[in-house]
């Protein structure tokens, strides 16, 4: 077996142990810090509301611009 293949297979064999070790560290950290209280549903609702408000403001500004543009188009500048 080639040296590269042997080294690669040794590294691949270490991946499950490394993942397991990292998950255990993460669980320990979560247990120590406790629940942060984040609620993903509330976060999504706030993002959707914020985007909705932004779209409404943009739509109102576009409508206002269109109304002003149509009034300016009818003005005779004496050209």
């Amino acid at each position: 077996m080639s040296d590269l293949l042997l080294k690669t297979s040794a590294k691949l064999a270490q991946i499950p142990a490394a993942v397991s070790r990292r998950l255990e560290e993460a669980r320990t950290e979560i247990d120590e810090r406790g629940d942060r209280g984040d609620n993903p549903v509330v976060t999504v609702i706030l993002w959707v509301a914020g985007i909705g408000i932004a779209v409404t403001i943009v739509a109102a500004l576009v409508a206002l611009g269109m109304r002003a543009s149509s009034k300016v188009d009818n003005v005779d500048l004496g050209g």
Side-chain angles (χ1 to χ4, degrees):
M1 196 178 330
S2 77
D3 192 39
L4 178 63
L5 185 59
L6 187 60
K7 287 180 180 179
T8 305
S9 63
K11 290 287 184 185
L12 287 174
Q14 293 174 356
I15 290 175
V19 170
S20 177
R21 189 171 44 252
R22 178 62 190 124
L23 285 175
E24 187 58 38
E25 290 172 4
R27 285 188 192 109
T28 304
E29 184 178 342
I30 289 170
D31 289 341
E32 289 172 359
R33 287 191 324 181
D35 187 17
R36 294 183 351 187
D38 292 349
N39 189 343
V41 174
V42 173
T43 303
V44 169
I45 290 171
L46 290 174
W47 272 102
V48 169
I51 292 170
I53 290 169
V55 168
T56 303
I57 291 171
V58 169
L61 290 173
V62 167
L64 195 65
M66 294 296 285
R67 179 180 289 170
S69 175
S70 65
K71 288 183 180 180
V72 173
D73 287 343
N74 295 331
V75 174
D76 183 19
L77 298 175

